Amino acid sequence: MAASDTGAAQQQMDEIEALSSIYGEDWCVVDEDEKIYCIKINDCLDQPKWTLCLQVILPPGYPTAEPPIYQLNAPWLRGQDYMELANSLEEIYVQNLGESILYLWVEKIRDVLIEKARSSDPEPDIKKTSEEVDEGDGDDFLLDCQPIQEDPIKMLNYITSESQEGDEELPSIHHGNPITDRRSTFQAHLAPVVTPRQVKRVLEKLYENKKIASATHNIYAYRIYCEDKQTFLQDCEDDGETAAGGRLLHLMQILNVHNVLVVVSRWYGGILLGPDRFKHINNCARNVLVEYNYVPSVEESSKQAGKSKKIKKDKKRTEH
């Protein structure tokens, strides 16, 4: 490793350690190996109105020779607001070439949020939007899953308000292996569920994890078989990633899984993936369903298919 690279690596380590100490729980390590970090920033009010998530990727040459790659995530941040803030961050970089600038960036963003809170700006529209919008993203995959525009936890509060009020046991939650592609990371989480209240409890538990809570999208779908009515209770949530929840539910229907909730977290890495993102979401989900025996693996399916063919052949022989 060149001396300049060693120096940059040491500066990065020192800066990360300092930021982690300064910002505590608001600082989150998304992927240590890929040097992806996220920090939640707000307007410093007791009940913050304006919040933003700054996600950064530190290339090997930062800070001596390369700028950080960054993504500004906030449902309200678009158009002119986005351009003005991005320009401010780039100005800070140019004015401090070769210096560690993440702290300056965070405090600049905080100043903007505080100014918005003090001004007469209306409160932000909290609806999430997808970082990637493709034409023809496949509305036919929506099925009976309509995007939930409100906070999914609030919506589940409404769904479960008329059901039993007693505390139900929190189901065990399992986490799949992450998939990383072009700096975006996808990870599936799974829990067995038999009531909407259990779905709500699992989601609340997952969102207590600051890494999961800081994900750009937490897409989920669940299917619960109601034996008395012989029907499925099922729903899904895009969480801003258009049609992703419907596609996930469609996968679960094809696999014929039931009494299970699958959540797929995506941490956006600053590079658009196009339709590949749906492939990764479904692969994550399928892998975790296979791992926890909700569906057979490809190998087991092949063996089962082979056995059934052999049985049919033997049956034909005995008939002759």
Side-chain angles (χ1 to χ4, degrees), residues 114-141:
I114 290 170
E115 184 58 36
K116 280 190 168 292
R118 286 176 179 164
S119 72
S120 57
D121 283 4
E123 286 190 33
D125 175 6
I126 60 168
K127 211 184 292 178
K128 271 195 178 182
T129 56
S130 175
E131 273 72 20
E132 306 186 38
V133 180
D134 298 336
E135 288 187 14
D137 252 345
D139 287 341
D140 54 328
F141 279 89

Side-chain angles (χ1 to χ4, degrees), residues 90-226:
E90 280 153 29
E91 275 178 31
I92 290 172
Y93 171 71
V94 170
Q95 290 165 4
N96 298 272
L97 287 172
E99 302 288 328
S100 299
I101 56 164
L102 295 185
Y103 176 79
L104 297 176
W105 275 10
V106 172
E107 292 311 309
K108 175 61 184 177
I109 293 168
R110 196 184 306 282
D111 287 345
V112 170
L113 298 181
I114 290 170
E115 184 58 36
K116 280 190 168 292
R118 286 176 179 164
S119 72
S120 57
D121 283 4
E123 286 190 33
D125 175 6
I126 60 168
K127 211 184 292 178
K128 271 195 178 182
T129 56
S130 175
E131 273 72 20
E132 306 186 38
V133 180
D134 298 336
E135 288 187 14
D137 252 345
D139 287 341
D140 54 328
F141 279 89
L142 289 175
L143 301 168
D144 51 354
C145 165
Q146 296 303 316
I148 297 171
Q149 300 296 348
E150 298 177 25
D151 181 333
I153 294 291
K154 288 181 182 173
M155 181 59 71
L156 276 164
N157 277 335
Y158 172 76
I159 292 170
T160 60
S161 61
E162 294 181 4
S163 66
Q164 64 272 31
E165 290 299 320
D167 284 339
E168 292 191 27
E169 185 180 348
L170 176 70
S172 55
I173 301 173
H174 308 286
H175 307 283
N177 293 320
I179 293 174
T180 300
D181 178 16
R182 284 162 280 177
R183 301 187 184 278
S184 274
T185 298
F186 302 79
Q187 185 177 26
H189 322 280
L190 174 151
V193 292
V194 291
T195 67
R197 184 168 293 280
Q198 285 186 323
V199 174
K200 172 178 171 284
R201 288 207 63 196
V202 170
L203 290 173
E204 287 174 336
K205 187 66 179 175
L206 284 171
Y207 295 153
E208 286 175 12
N209 180 305
K210 61 181 180 178
K211 181 177 175 180
I212 294 171
S214 73
T216 316
H217 308 289
N218 282 303
I219 302 129
Y220 72 78
Y222 65 88
R223 299 187 80 218
I224 297 169
Y225 184 62
C226 306

Side-chain angles (χ1 to χ4, degrees), residues 247-266:
R247 289 168 185 254
L248 178 57
L249 180 58
H250 184 60
L251 172 75
M252 293 170 71
Q253 289 171 329
I254 290 170
L255 296 174
N256 194 28
V257 298
H258 56 272
N259 297 343
V260 64
L261 163 70
V262 177
V263 181
V264 179
S265 302
R266 181 199 180 179

Side-chain angles (χ1 to χ4, degrees), residues 74-91:
W76 54 269
L77 187 65
R78 56 178 71 91
Q80 188 65 27
D81 280 338
Y82 190 102
M83 290 305 300
E84 286 178 4
L85 188 50
N87 287 340
S88 296
L89 299 187
E90 280 153 29
E91 275 178 31

